[in-house]
Amino acid sequence: MRGGRLRRGLKHMPGLASIYRAFGARWRRPRSARQSALQEHQCAPHKSRGGQPRTWLTCGQVVRGYVFPQFGGTSWYRFLRERCRPTPRRLALSLCSGDGAVERQLLKWGVCRACEGVDISPALVAWARGRARAEGVANVTYRVADVETMELTGNCYDLVVGWMGLHHLSHLRGMFARVRGALRRDGLFVVNEYVGPARFQMPSAQVELICEWLARLPPSLRVTASGEVRNGFRPPRPEEVAAEDPTEAISSDRILPELERQFEIVERVDYGGNLLQWVLLDITQNFQADNPEHQAWLERLFEAEREFLRQGAVSSDFTFVIARPKGNRGG
């Protein structure tokens, strides 16, 4: 979806097309081998730089003000380093490594001594290698492979990371089984993921809340990067999602059940996103850090999401999990 056009089903829906396109451009990492011919165009690094859509997790104010407080006021990487005892881990594997940012941060924060990144896109692998050289990050390697089918060496890794790419995988059970076999005795599997409804088919109560808060926001805060004013919201239909990307959120609702089948959860932080990821999509640039009114609106949104999740009608759309293979008492 990076730089692409929505298919006919979305193209004629005012407001929805640009919002869904922006959401997909941030999260979509096609993993199917059948899409390889398309990836070179859609996943080329220059497509995601400069004009990258603004989402709730690319907004510093939201991450610092809402997400990181749920991790003790610290970043994901510091939180992980503090929990992954002993650290640093000797060798980590990052699945669906994309542009390589996660691997570089794991090394910079001292979570591991060496890291391997795997991605299906040759363009992104090349980009990741270049960024590692430019930033002077050593002990990181990248290779091109389809994580759905690749073999993993047994008893090899101290840490395996799945960071915002697993919800594109169809065969989670087999993938998780290979991860389990690849981990050393005290190895850990870390998942930071969208685990909400498959194909974004959220319940009506969630849709109503998103629409309610979009209507409340002043028009000046609802202007997208392209100059449109967001006036409403409708989640895309499953066939619309599949038409744009057959892998998008195809398995998101199965990640946690499959993980719990084979792994023991050591730590889990459900950090929301049910309201914020959709209301703030492509409009976070309007919220100025030095504007008290803007900050007040963000705080209202934060509290609205907390209250929605406290009611228990829905589960968190995003989660951070540290797990170990069942029966493994090391680590």
Side-chain angles (χ1 to χ4, degrees), residues 217-223 279 283-284 286-288 293-294 297:
L217 287 176
S220 61
L221 293 179
R222 288 186 275 118
V223 180
V279 171
I283 63 172
T284 60
N286 301 321
F287 294 82
Q288 302 302 312
E293 181 183 356
H294 294 179
W297 277 111

Side-chain angles (χ1 to χ4, degrees), residues 217-265:
L217 287 176
S220 61
L221 293 179
R222 288 186 275 118
V223 180
T224 69
S226 62
E228 300 178 56
V229 177
R230 295 186 58 194
N231 290 315
F233 172 78
R234 174 184 71 73
R237 291 186 290 270
E239 60 270 22
E240 295 168 347
V241 180
E244 181 58 27
D245 174 14
T247 73
E248 180 60 75
I250 191 172
S251 61
S252 53
D253 58 345
R254 302 205 316 271
I255 291 174
L256 286 175
E258 290 295 344
L259 187 66
E260 291 170 344
R261 180 189 297 269
Q262 302 186 50
F263 292 82
E264 175 188 351
I265 305 299

Side-chain angles (χ1 to χ4, degrees), residues 181-329:
L183 285 168
R184 293 194 175 99
R185 182 176 181 276
D186 63 347
L188 295 174
F189 187 22
V190 174
V191 172
N192 188 10
E193 265 295 345
Y194 169 73
V195 293
R199 304 296 200 195
F200 313 127
Q201 299 308 294
M202 62 198 76
S204 59
Q206 186 173 343
V207 176
E208 291 169 4
L209 186 67
I210 294 166
C211 292
E212 174 188 337
W213 278 96
L214 276 172
R216 288 189 185 186
L217 287 176
S220 61
L221 293 179
R222 288 186 275 118
V223 180
T224 69
S226 62
E228 300 178 56
V229 177
R230 295 186 58 194
N231 290 315
F233 172 78
R234 174 184 71 73
R237 291 186 290 270
E239 60 270 22
E240 295 168 347
V241 180
E244 181 58 27
D245 174 14
T247 73
E248 180 60 75
I250 191 172
S251 61
S252 53
D253 58 345
R254 302 205 316 271
I255 291 174
L256 286 175
E258 290 295 344
L259 187 66
E260 291 170 344
R261 180 189 297 269
Q262 302 186 50
F263 292 82
E264 175 188 351
I265 305 299
V266 177
E267 190 120 21
R268 174 175 167 180
V269 179
D270 293 328
Y271 59 95
N274 301 56
L275 173 65
L276 296 175
Q277 67 166 320
W278 295 106
V279 171
L280 294 176
L281 186 59
D282 208 24
I283 63 172
T284 60
Q285 69 278 1
N286 301 321
F287 294 82
Q288 302 302 312
D290 58 355
N291 187 311
E293 181 183 356
H294 294 179
Q295 296 311 298
W297 277 111
L298 284 178
E299 289 296 336
R300 292 181 194 121
L301 285 167
F302 297 166
E303 182 53 35
E305 177 156 291
R306 293 188 194 103
E307 178 58 30
F308 185 55
L309 292 172
R310 276 195 295 264
Q311 293 171 6
V314 298
S315 301
S316 172
D317 275 354
F318 287 81
T319 194
F320 187 102
V321 172
I322 302 175
R324 61 188 175 199
K326 284 188 173 179
N328 185 345
R329 296 300 172 187

Side-chain angles (χ1 to χ4, degrees), residues 70-233:
Q70 300 180 67
F71 292 83
T74 187
S75 76
W76 284 311
Y77 302 102
R78 177 177 290 174
F79 179 86
L80 183 56
R81 185 183 65 192
E82 292 172 351
R83 299 305 195 274
C84 281
R85 300 299 182 186
T87 50
R89 297 270 158 161
R90 189 177 76 174
L91 179 62
L93 171 68
S94 178
L95 306 171
C96 310
S97 54
D99 63 7
V102 170
E103 299 74 55
R104 296 192 298 273
Q105 291 299 318
L106 290 174
L107 289 163
K108 288 178 180 179
W109 281 93
V111 176
C112 57
R113 291 194 181 97
C115 188
E116 298 176 6
V118 179
D119 199 275
I120 199 171
S121 167
L124 281 175
V125 166
W127 172 272
R129 288 170 177 162
R131 289 309 307 164
R133 288 193 298 269
E135 296 178 21
V137 179
N139 299 327
V140 59
T141 59
Y142 293 97
R143 59 189 172 101
V144 178
D146 185 343
V147 301
E148 294 229 62
T149 58
M150 73 178 187
E151 295 297 322
L152 292 176
T153 303
N155 194 34
C156 182
Y157 299 99
D158 305 282
L159 181 70
V160 177
V161 176
W163 206 285
M164 299 300 177
L166 299 181
H167 64 278
H168 290 280
L169 304 181
S170 300
H171 307 293
L172 290 169
R173 187 170 301 179
M175 178 72 253
F176 287 175
R178 290 196 297 277
V179 168
R180 183 179 180 183
L183 285 168
R184 293 194 175 99
R185 182 176 181 276
D186 63 347
L188 295 174
F189 187 22
V190 174
V191 172
N192 188 10
E193 265 295 345
Y194 169 73
V195 293
R199 304 296 200 195
F200 313 127
Q201 299 308 294
M202 62 198 76
S204 59
Q206 186 173 343
V207 176
E208 291 169 4
L209 186 67
I210 294 166
C211 292
E212 174 188 337
W213 278 96
L214 276 172
R216 288 189 185 186
L217 287 176
S220 61
L221 293 179
R222 288 186 275 118
V223 180
T224 69
S226 62
E228 300 178 56
V229 177
R230 295 186 58 194
N231 290 315
F233 172 78

